[in-house]
Amino acid sequence: MSHTAAPATLLRMTGIFKSFPGVRALDSVDFEVGESEIHAFIGENGAGKSTLLKILSGALAPDGGTIHFGGKDVVFASPKDAQASGIVTIYQEFSLAPDMTVAENVFIGREPGSKLFVSRGRLEEQALALARRIGLERSPRALVRDLSVAEQQLVEIARALSMKSRLIVMDEPTSALSRTEVEKLFAIIRSLKRDGIATIFVTHRLEEVFEICDRYTVLRDGKQVGHGAVAQASLDGIIRLMESNVNDPVNIGNPHEMTIEEIARTIIKLTGSKSKIVYRPLPADDPKVRQPDITRARTLLGWEPKVGLEEGLTRTLEYFRTKV
């Protein structure tokens, strides 16, 4: 993790607004990323991260605000516009064509050659050079469907590099990776940094923020609620920023007299999120059970097949009832 001063600004999003029917998804959000920095973008599900990143990628138009990138004001009417400017997004669900080769996926829609003929030789040669740069040890002729998740992710990164990216957005890039694969990915991200390429790193694994990122920004309820240098932050401090206001009054009611839908809606109010919430039994003497921190509590809860829907929701609600 870098401990140097903040670099020159590469991306500045100012006063971004976005509303959907009945919901203000983003409320005057400011977001900055420096040249070649690794920037953590953090927030609970429903905080507005996906909406802001869709605006940055050109997939959504903002209702208000400005975007300044690479020294000039920009307006992206489509993802193609953002990519042409040097911003490429790698989503958690990859956008690869499984029945096409590595090389074809890397240069899809931008194949070298004439208007009539693709130069297979140049296509595979250029794809191989990118693969070697990021440590993808696969033939450019290999079909994507035969690759592991980690290897498919490298194909996405190779494609981003082929577009001359200056900023790569990685949405939950470690969610399906082993620890060894995570370490390899981090090495690649650090190499991109050395090459002058910035990364927006979206994750719910907060320990990774302190391992790989230079700076962070936290969104909560559609607003930017905190940002700064990771070296000067603490895990507890970031968690507190992520939390909804647990002091807001909520009519909990009696879970045994509520419908499943009413229980679910109440839990959503308590957690500020529509995430899947699951009940996971814990020992009564586990000190973590007594922590009033909602975010930590949510990490202790999950949905396991042995617990029925109604029972799981009821127990989860009863747990939060003691914390609010």
Side-chain angles (χ1 to χ4, degrees):
M1 181 176 61
S2 172
H3 299 281
T4 59
T9 300
L10 172 66
L11 168 72
R12 179 182 293 114
M13 303 178 76
T14 305
I16 302 296
F17 281 91
K18 184 63 183 180
S19 295
F20 300 102
V23 178
R24 173 162 284 184
L26 296 174
D27 188 356
S28 191
V29 172
D30 295 336
F31 181 50
E32 289 190 10
V33 177
E35 294 272 4
S36 74
E37 82 172 0
I38 305 169
H39 196 111
F41 193 37
I42 312 166
E44 291 284 81
N45 290 335
K49 301 189 307 297
S50 295
T51 302
L52 189 74
L53 294 179
K54 286 178 180 177
I55 289 171
L56 177 60
S57 73
L60 267 181
D63 296 334
T66 60
I67 302 175
H68 192 82
F69 182 75
K72 60 182 180 181
D73 290 334
V74 293
V75 176
F76 301 138
S78 69
K80 189 174 181 179
D81 286 349
Q83 291 166 5
S85 293
I87 301 173
V88 178
T89 300
I90 301 175
Y91 293 102
Q92 189 173 0
E93 298 294 331
F94 301 145
S95 58
L96 301 173
D99 294 319
M100 296 176 67
T101 68
V102 168
E104 290 166 342
N105 271 278
V106 169
F107 288 101
I108 190 167
R110 299 169 292 108
E111 297 85 352
S114 67
K115 293 182 179 180
L116 297 178
F117 300 100
V118 173
S119 172
R120 300 294 305 184
R122 288 173 56 197
L123 176 73
E124 293 176 2
E125 179 183 359
Q126 292 175 20
L128 181 60
L130 290 168
R132 286 175 175 169
R133 178 178 172 184
I134 58 176
L136 175 58
E137 298 175 356
R138 282 284 196 159
S139 166
R141 297 180 182 180
L143 294 178
V144 163
R145 69 174 179 225
D146 296 329
L147 274 56
S148 68
V149 171
E151 289 171 332
Q152 290 182 30
Q153 187 175 69
L154 293 183
V155 174
E156 289 272 16
I157 294 173
R159 181 160 65 187
L161 293 176
S162 75
M163 298 179 189
K164 311 298 182 186
S165 302
R166 298 182 63 187
L167 173 62
I168 300 177
V169 180
M170 296 188 181
D171 183 17
E172 299 286 354
T174 64
S175 61
L177 302 185
S178 68
R179 182 58 206 178
T180 299
E181 291 167 340
V182 168
E183 290 174 354
K184 183 176 181 180
L185 174 64
F186 284 179
I188 292 169
I189 293 174
R190 292 186 183 106
S191 73
L192 296 177
K193 176 182 175 69
R194 289 191 295 271
D195 291 339
I197 299 171
T199 301
I200 295 176
F201 187 81
V202 183
T203 184
H204 283 91
R205 297 178 177 178
L206 297 184
E207 69 278 5
E208 294 178 349
V209 172
F210 292 88
E211 184 175 355
I212 187 68
C213 297
D214 302 310
R215 292 200 299 149
Y216 69 92
T217 296
V218 180
L219 247 60
R220 186 182 73 224
D221 299 331
K223 298 180 180 180
Q224 192 254 74
V225 294
H227 63 92
V230 172
Q232 299 171 3
S234 68
L235 179 60
D236 285 346
I238 288 179
I239 289 174
R240 283 195 295 271
L241 288 172
M242 292 171 61
E243 292 175 351
S244 294
N245 186 356
V246 297
N247 295 317
D248 288 346
V250 176
N251 183 13
I252 294 178
N254 184 346
H256 300 289
E257 297 178 357
M258 300 166 68
T259 67
I260 291 176
E261 182 179 1
E262 288 171 339
I263 292 173
R265 288 184 180 278
T266 303
I267 291 172
I268 289 169
K269 288 180 181 178
L270 294 179
T271 62
S273 171
K274 296 182 180 179
S275 304
K276 182 185 291 184
I277 300 171
V278 181
Y279 173 77
R280 184 175 293 116
L282 290 169
D285 59 351
D286 189 328
K288 294 180 181 178
V289 175
R290 294 191 292 273
Q291 291 179 345
D293 182 302
I294 289 295
T295 300
R296 286 199 188 93
R298 288 183 60 207
T299 67
L300 302 177
L301 302 171
W303 212 288
E304 295 186 353
K306 64 183 179 183
V307 178
L309 175 64
E310 185 171 8
E311 180 184 2
L313 276 169
T314 300
R315 293 187 186 183
T316 300
L317 179 54
E318 288 175 336
Y319 178 92
F320 281 113
R321 191 177 185 179
T322 67
K323 307 300 179 185
V324 178

